[in-house]
């Protein structure tokens, strides 16, 4: 069984060897995975007028316009996430896995677009997000459990872009069996870095914490991949 200290030690060594590329890739991955959770609200209180006994609110018209614009923007962001963002995430996972053993450039981010299996990557990553969201509707905990059950999917598909979706999810499920809690705790171990990131206006996150975190979870995948070969459920 892996332990956090060994994963993090190897992760530090890996991303420091290729520091600037790791920073660039992690930054793109971070933007993609956080921008869609950002939301804003605008309220306006305008003049109210009475016309022939009818009541007309200018502020409601402004509010409706803002809501419509936000809806269009939100739909555009979802489309971007499905057809571009998720593919870049898979490419980023591939970068951090390859970076453990060989020189690799930030251009690996675009791997999914030229792998010949773009449609399959889009489908599998979309299903991962959809299944997690649907399980989250059953309260928070089932969604968190499914998040960690599907945690290895982007790495699996990054190395095997033509793999059938059923197999990718099955392998991730087997890899994470008995490890979900430990992976959750591994995530929690980066909270201190998150606080420092906020305190420094994002500087620590961009130049150290995020590439460190991405490299660590790539190490987790590499460990699980080795165990999967050893146990015979991938060849």
């Amino acid at each position: 069984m892996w332990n956090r200290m060994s994963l993090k030690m190897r992760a530090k060594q890996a991303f420091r060897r290729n520091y600037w590329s790791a920073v660039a890739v992690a930054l793109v991955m971070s933007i993609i995975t956080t921008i869609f959770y950002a939301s804003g609200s605008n309220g306006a209180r305008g003049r109210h007028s009475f016309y022939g006994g009818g009541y007309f609110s200018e502020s409601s018209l402004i509010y409706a316009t803002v809501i419509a614009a936000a809806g269009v923007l939100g739909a555009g962001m979802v489309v971007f996430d499905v057809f571009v963002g998720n593919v870049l995430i898979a490419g980023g996972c591939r970068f951090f896995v390859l970076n453990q053993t060989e020189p690799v450039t930030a251009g690996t981010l675009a791997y999914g677009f030229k792998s010949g299996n773009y449609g399959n990557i889009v489908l599998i990553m979309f299903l991962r997000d959809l299944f997690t969201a649907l399980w989250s509707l059953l309260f928070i905990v089932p969604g968190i459990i499914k998040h960690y059950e599907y945690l290895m999917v982007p790495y699996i598909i990054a190395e095997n872009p033509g793999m059938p979706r059923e197999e990718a999810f099955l392998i991730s499920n087997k890899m994470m069996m008995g490890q979900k809690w430990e992976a959750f705790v591994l995530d929690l171990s980066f909270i201190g870095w998150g606080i420092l990131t906020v305190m420094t206006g994002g500087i620590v996150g961009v130049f150290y914490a995020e590439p460190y975190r991405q490299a660590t979870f790539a190490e987790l995948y590499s460990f699980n991949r080795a165990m999967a070969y050893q146990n015979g459920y991938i060849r």
Side-chain angles (χ1 to χ4, degrees), residues 1 14 25 29 34 53 65 74 76 102-103 115 121 125 127 134 142 145 150 186 200 216:
M1 182 63 179
V25 171
M29 296 175 74
T34 58
T65 303
E102 63 186 79
S115 65
I121 295 173
M125 294 292 284
L127 290 176
L134 290 176
I145 292 173
Y150 304 147
L186 179 61
T200 59
T216 299

Side-chain angles (χ1 to χ4, degrees), residues 128 132 135-136 141-152 172 176 180 187 213 217:
R128 180 202 62 157
T132 302
W135 278 98
S136 296
V141 173
I144 293 174
I145 292 173
K146 287 299 175 180
H147 166 76
Y148 287 103
E149 181 178 318
Y150 304 147
L151 189 63
M152 300 290 102
S172 181
M176 294 305 297
K180 298 180 188 67
D187 252 335
R213 181 181 175 280
F217 278 91

Side-chain angles (χ1 to χ4, degrees), residues 76-147:
M77 291 168 66
V78 170
V79 170
F80 176 84
D81 186 32
V82 171
F83 293 101
V84 179
N86 277 343
V87 181
L88 291 174
I89 291 293
C93 291
R94 182 178 178 86
F95 169 90
F96 280 101
V97 171
L98 292 177
N99 191 57
Q100 297 166 3
T101 57
E102 63 186 79
V104 60
T105 68
T108 307
L109 269 170
Y111 170 78
F113 297 103
K114 50 191 178 184
S115 65
N117 293 281
Y118 168 77
N120 194 52
I121 295 173
V122 167
L123 175 62
I124 291 176
M125 294 292 284
F126 169 73
L127 290 176
R128 180 202 62 157
D129 293 343
L130 177 63
F131 294 159
T132 302
L134 290 176
W135 278 98
S136 296
L137 295 177
L138 301 176
F139 302 110
I140 300 299
V141 173
I144 293 174
I145 292 173
K146 287 299 175 180
H147 166 76

Side-chain angles (χ1 to χ4, degrees), residues 3-225:
N3 64 77
R4 294 192 301 277
M5 294 302 295
S6 62
L7 290 185
K8 289 184 169 184
M9 180 182 67
R10 291 196 298 271
K12 288 178 184 178
Q13 294 172 347
F15 94 80
R16 284 173 175 171
R17 286 197 302 267
N18 196 9
Y19 178 77
W20 287 109
S21 291
V23 166
V25 171
L27 177 60
V28 172
M29 296 175 74
S30 178
I31 291 172
I32 291 169
T33 54
T34 58
I35 193 172
F36 304 104
Y37 296 99
S39 61
S41 61
N42 294 295
R45 292 187 178 185
R47 300 191 313 272
H48 298 100
S49 303
F50 292 89
Y51 292 92
Y55 180 67
F56 176 78
S57 169
E58 292 179 359
S59 65
S60 65
L61 180 60
I62 295 173
Y63 184 71
T65 303
V66 170
I67 292 297
V72 172
L73 179 61
M77 291 168 66
V78 170
V79 170
F80 176 84
D81 186 32
V82 171
F83 293 101
V84 179
N86 277 343
V87 181
L88 291 174
I89 291 293
C93 291
R94 182 178 178 86
F95 169 90
F96 280 101
V97 171
L98 292 177
N99 191 57
Q100 297 166 3
T101 57
E102 63 186 79
V104 60
T105 68
T108 307
L109 269 170
Y111 170 78
F113 297 103
K114 50 191 178 184
S115 65
N117 293 281
Y118 168 77
N120 194 52
I121 295 173
V122 167
L123 175 62
I124 291 176
M125 294 292 284
F126 169 73
L127 290 176
R128 180 202 62 157
D129 293 343
L130 177 63
F131 294 159
T132 302
L134 290 176
W135 278 98
S136 296
L137 295 177
L138 301 176
F139 302 110
I140 300 299
V141 173
I144 293 174
I145 292 173
K146 287 299 175 180
H147 166 76
Y148 287 103
E149 181 178 318
Y150 304 147
L151 189 63
M152 300 290 102
V153 168
Y155 299 95
I156 294 168
I157 206 64
E159 287 201 310
N160 309 275
M163 180 178 287
R165 60 183 181 273
E166 298 87 353
E167 188 175 357
F169 282 99
L170 178 61
I171 291 173
S172 181
N173 184 22
K174 289 183 176 181
M175 284 182 171
M176 294 305 297
M177 197 170 294
Q179 296 189 29
K180 298 180 188 67
W181 174 254
E182 287 77 10
F184 175 68
V185 174
L186 179 61
D187 252 335
L188 290 180
S189 71
F190 287 94
I191 285 181
W193 288 110
I195 294 172
L196 284 175
T197 296
V198 172
M199 292 175 61
T200 59
I203 293 175
V204 167
V206 170
F207 292 105
Y208 192 86
E210 190 58 23
Y212 178 25
R213 181 181 175 280
Q214 293 293 346
T216 299
F217 278 91
E219 291 289 343
L220 173 59
Y221 167 71
S222 294
F223 175 89
N224 284 334
R225 180 184 58 191

